[in-house]
Amino acid sequence: MTHESTMARLGAVMGTAVLLAPGGCADDATPASNRPRIGPGVPAFAEEAAARGVDFVLSSGDDGGAKLFPEIMPGGVAIADLDGDGDLDLYFIQFGPIEPEREGDHRNRLYLNRGDGTFEDVTEGSGAEDDRLGCGVATGDYDGDGDVDLYVTNLGRNTLLRNDGGGRFTDVTDAAGVGETGWGASAAFLDHDLDGDPDLFVCNYVAWSPEREIECRDHDGRRDYCSPKAYEARTPDVLYRNNGDGTFTDISAEAGIDVVAGNGLGVVWGDFDGNGAPDIFVANDGNPNHFFLGKGDGTFEEAAKSRGVYLAGDGNTRAGMGTAIGDPDEDGDLDILVVNLLHQFDSFFRNESGFFIEDTTATGLAPVTRRTTRFGVGWFDVDNDSVLDLFEASGRVMVRKDAPEKGDRFAENNHLLLGVEGATYEKVPPVEAWGDGLVHTSRGAAFGDLDGDGGVDVVVVNRDAPAYVLRNVAPRGRWCGVRVLDDAGAPALGATVTATVNGRRLRRDQHAAYGYLTANECVARFGLDAAELLEDVEIRWPDGRTRRVGDLEAGRVHDVGPPAGE
């Protein structure tokens, strides 16, 4: 961590709102009604991975032969400040051939931001390689030193990488006691017991091994990937308690997490019922979802059925992949979105005082989203008009009859859906959103402002193809970011920021864990449209502490630490 960033964080922890440098000159004071609208000739994104120095290619290990089930599911990526210099870096998770006799590169890749939104691959010698069968990643400061650490989920033993500062990492998995050996999918750091240090939740997908592989065929009799239901191998998820000394204890049983099993792929968490205790939602693939309702004493009740998120609204299970949380309907509580398989539209669970109603049809998402198999997902404000938009990354898991004979037979278009007031959405055709040619088998999508210009960019991992770095080039309004810090100066996971924008009271929660196998920028971002201030800002830390900071200037990320003297 640099001296400048250290002093800024210390200032914020002591209670001073620190203003970082303005993020460029992209702000437009013109109200949204008078700005060019994303559409024909007005793209939202430009794909710039190569120009930005990012050359990552996810290797699935698929050689056209055996079609081993895990090959179709990765991969993940993290966006976070991993060297402490104040800008966002990238960490890609690599998979590679499963068979040990086959050669292949399994190393994860670390790209550090040069400070201008371009990147340098510094993997060699960084300690971040983790040469395993990688799936997903979670970010959080588990040891309280102010640096963002990495937890990598694998097919096989997972890995905890302690951030030693400056983009250097040490594998501390064995010493920390978090080497879960199943098939890890999404994971999340969260302070489930509110004792001041982040605990760790891990989704497990399928109890799979090469010996348990099943041979499946497509419509033409060729080898294809199987459905997870074919394996009948549900597994329980895992909760590790942070002991505060660099070690963890598996408390899945005593906390009530292992009372159910599923095929977990996506995880989000937050205080959904407003009782002050964190709750955990898990999207299960082809099985009922899990909803672990926090009791306030560090234990949970499995309440998916009673709270309305167990099944889809029609009473059927869906193939839940990625999941996101936010308050798109602006009623002050957290709603949940789950993305699903082809022919299964999204599941939008609208929060009504801690109970949920599946209300996808009312959002306009149903006819659009059922056309692809979606994985990565996130709510964000692409044009800074103060209304949340939606990005979904797509890619098939089994070959369809209309698939091309050559090229990527699993490729599908990704989705950009612009938010309209009241949590409804309008699709932007892909060719208008980002141009021709960006059709691959996409998996994880992570969100963050890579170049500091106030527009949220998107990084997408593609199976056996180069990753996308989608730079936000949309006509945008003004913006304001709030980075809520904990007592160590790291992002306070789960902090809630509420503020007024153009007379509307908006909520943005600071989370890294959402989407599919990904970790995201940990900043609460508000689009301001033409407003010059984010007004009447109030912050709530997960442990219940609150702080009012008044009005904040547009065009900056403001670091805010806990209330002084508490």
Side-chain angles (χ1 to χ4, degrees):
M1 185 178 294
T2 65
H3 173 75
E4 182 179 352
S5 62
T6 300
M7 293 304 293
R9 289 175 186 269
L10 286 174
V13 169
M14 293 302 292
T16 304
V18 178
L19 305 187
L20 302 187
C25 55
D27 295 346
D28 185 351
T30 307
S33 58
N34 296 326
R35 286 199 305 272
R37 183 172 173 81
I38 296 168
V42 186
F45 296 100
E47 202 295 294
E48 297 184 354
R52 299 266 162 180
V54 176
D55 59 358
F56 179 79
V57 175
L58 172 67
S59 171
S60 71
D62 178 11
D63 63 356
K67 300 292 184 186
L68 301 178
F69 179 42
E71 296 170 350
I72 198 65
M73 302 305 293
V77 59
I79 295 179
D81 182 5
L82 297 174
D83 57 358
D85 65 353
D87 50 38
L88 294 175
D89 310 303
L90 304 176
Y91 182 68
F92 288 93
I93 308 302
Q94 185 60 279
F95 192 69
I98 294 173
E99 303 91 333
E101 67 274 11
R102 289 177 54 199
E103 294 184 0
D105 184 4
H106 295 279
R107 298 180 308 151
N108 300 337
R109 299 274 292 280
L110 174 62
Y111 294 82
L112 294 185
N113 196 324
R114 296 188 177 99
D116 59 0
T118 67
F119 297 87
E120 179 183 0
D121 184 343
V122 299
T123 308
E124 191 70 32
S126 68
E129 296 92 337
D130 190 36
D131 190 6
R132 298 174 187 271
L133 296 166
C135 294
V137 60
T139 55
D141 178 21
Y142 86 94
D143 55 357
D145 65 355
D147 296 319
V148 178
D149 308 301
L150 298 167
Y151 187 76
V152 180
T153 61
N154 295 309
L155 177 62
R157 194 211 74 167
N158 298 336
T159 301
L160 178 61
L161 297 174
R162 185 187 65 214
N163 191 334
D164 297 326
R168 303 285 179 175
F169 295 85
T170 300
D171 183 341
V172 295
T173 310
D174 292 339
V178 289
E180 170 70 8
T181 57
W183 178 357
S186 296
F189 284 100
L190 75 159
D191 187 4
H192 91 280
D193 50 7
L194 302 178
D195 66 350
D197 47 35
D199 311 298
L200 179 62
F201 185 92
V202 182
C203 291
N204 281 320
Y205 184 39
V206 172
W208 184 91
S209 68
E211 295 74 28
R212 299 185 68 172
E213 184 56 288
I214 300 169
E215 186 174 305
C216 293
R217 300 278 173 177
D218 67 12
H219 53 279
D220 287 328
R222 292 173 291 192
R223 286 294 295 269
D224 200 359
Y225 295 107
C226 299
S227 162
K229 290 184 177 181
Y231 298 89
E232 296 183 354
R234 296 184 300 164
T235 59
D237 302 319
V238 178
L239 177 64
Y240 292 102
R241 182 185 62 220
N242 192 328
N243 298 323
D245 59 0
T247 68
F248 292 79
T249 299
D250 182 345
I251 60 165
S252 307
E254 64 185 81
I257 297 298
D258 70 346
V259 297
V260 288
N263 300 125
L265 285 179
V267 61
V268 288
W269 66 275
D271 183 6
F272 294 100
D273 59 355
N275 73 341
D279 312 304
I280 303 170
F281 173 85
V282 177
N284 282 309
D285 186 1
N287 284 284
N289 300 317
H290 296 155
F291 188 67
F292 299 108
L293 191 65
K295 296 180 180 180
D297 59 359
T299 66
F300 297 87
E301 172 193 355
E302 210 302 305
K305 192 174 293 186
S306 63
R307 293 289 172 151
V309 294
Y310 186 69
L311 300 170
D314 58 8
N316 294 317
T317 58
R318 292 185 182 156
M321 278 82 151
T323 184
I325 54 173
D327 184 23
D329 58 359
E330 300 180 10
D331 65 351
D333 52 25
L334 289 174
D335 307 308
I336 301 173
L337 184 75
V338 182
V339 295
N340 302 303
L341 192 68
L342 176 73
H343 302 314
Q344 301 175 354
F345 52 75
D346 289 352
S347 300
F348 174 67
F349 294 107
R350 191 187 299 273
N351 191 339
E352 299 289 347
S353 301
F355 295 84
F356 294 85
I357 299 170
E358 210 243 276
D359 199 19
T360 309
T361 302
T363 67
L365 293 173
V368 174
T369 58
R370 66 185 303 273
R371 299 173 185 174
T372 63
T373 294
R374 292 87 61 209
F375 282 85
V377 60
W379 269 308
F380 69 113
D381 189 352
V382 65
D383 52 1
N384 290 338
D385 67 349
S386 77
V387 179
L388 289 177
D389 309 303
L390 188 61
F391 180 93
E392 299 183 352
S394 301
R396 301 170 187 167
V397 292
M398 292 175 282
V399 174
R400 286 169 54 184
K401 289 184 178 181
D402 61 352
E405 286 300 318
K406 295 183 179 180
D408 187 350
R409 307 191 77 209
F410 302 95
E412 291 182 311
N413 278 302
N414 298 329
H415 299 297
L416 176 65
L417 301 115
L418 296 183
V420 184
E421 263 187 84
T424 58
Y425 297 89
E426 298 175 353
K427 180 183 176 181
V428 180
V431 68
E432 297 176 5
W434 41 71
D436 282 320
L438 299 186
V439 185
H440 293 90
T441 304
S442 297
R443 291 297 182 252
F447 302 84
D449 181 7
L450 301 177
D451 51 6
D453 67 353
V456 176
D457 310 301
V458 184
V459 178
V460 182
V461 179
N462 297 309
R463 183 178 184 264
D464 296 319
Y468 304 152
V469 176
L470 299 177
R471 184 172 67 88
N472 190 327
V473 296
R476 301 192 300 269
R478 292 194 175 103
W479 63 280
C480 185
V482 181
R483 183 186 292 110
V484 184
L485 303 178
D486 62 18
D487 295 291
L493 300 173
T496 299
V497 183
T498 54
T500 299
V501 177
N502 295 322
R504 292 160 33 233
R505 194 67 179 166
L506 302 181
R507 169 179 178 165
R508 300 289 184 262
D509 284 53
Q510 181 169 278
H511 280 287
Y514 60 87
Y516 177 75
L517 307 180
T518 52
N520 305 274
E521 179 190 30
C522 213
V523 170
R525 289 188 172 272
F526 293 79
L528 301 182
D529 197 12
E532 296 182 356
L533 296 173
L534 182 65
E535 299 177 345
D536 192 18
V537 178
E538 183 173 6
I539 300 168
R540 184 186 188 279
W541 277 258
D543 61 8
R545 290 179 291 178
T546 62
R547 182 178 173 193
R548 302 189 78 95
V549 296
D551 299 343
L552 296 178
E553 183 182 357
R556 288 172 165 79
V557 173
H558 300 255
D559 277 4
V560 182
E566 294 188 26

